[in-house]
Amino acid sequence: LGIALFCAGGVNSHLVIPPMDEMITVGREIIPDEGKVEALNDLCSGLFNTFFALGEIFGPLLGNYLYADYGLGFTCDALGIMLIAFGILYFLT
């Protein structure tokens, strides 16, 4: 468990920084006023961290529910399908 947490901590920063930068870039296109850059950064940071925390809370709950009711195979299939669908939508938009 310690090795897994160590690896997750080392990789997590590389997964978090690119989406945050992309959110700020898109926000600056929508709100080009340079006087509101700090407010935009705060808004993007708040939204990002809120939804990240919600995923950390509800992800294990949903996974446990699927595992208890449908088994490990279905749970892994559902996660894989969601990841593939998200990846396709990410690259199409």
Side-chain angles (χ1 to χ4, degrees):
L1 180 64
I3 294 171
L5 290 173
F6 178 77
C7 292
V11 174
N12 196 23
S13 62
H14 300 289
L15 298 174
V16 171
I17 292 171
M20 184 69 181
D21 183 49
E22 189 171 334
M23 286 175 61
I24 292 172
T25 301
V26 171
R28 286 188 180 166
E29 291 174 4
I30 296 170
I31 305 172
D33 185 13
E34 289 296 323
K36 297 184 179 181
V37 170
E38 187 173 335
L40 176 65
N41 290 346
D42 292 344
L43 177 66
C44 288
S45 177
L47 287 173
F48 184 83
N49 288 316
T50 298
F51 286 106
F52 188 81
L54 287 173
E56 292 283 326
I57 293 168
F58 290 113
L61 292 173
L62 178 62
N64 187 33
Y65 168 75
L66 290 174
Y67 176 73
D69 286 352
Y70 299 105
L72 180 64
F74 179 82
T75 303
C76 292
D77 290 343
L79 177 64
I81 290 169
M82 285 188 290
L83 289 173
I84 290 169
F86 178 75
I88 291 170
L89 288 173
Y90 181 79
F91 285 112
L92 290 178
T93 58

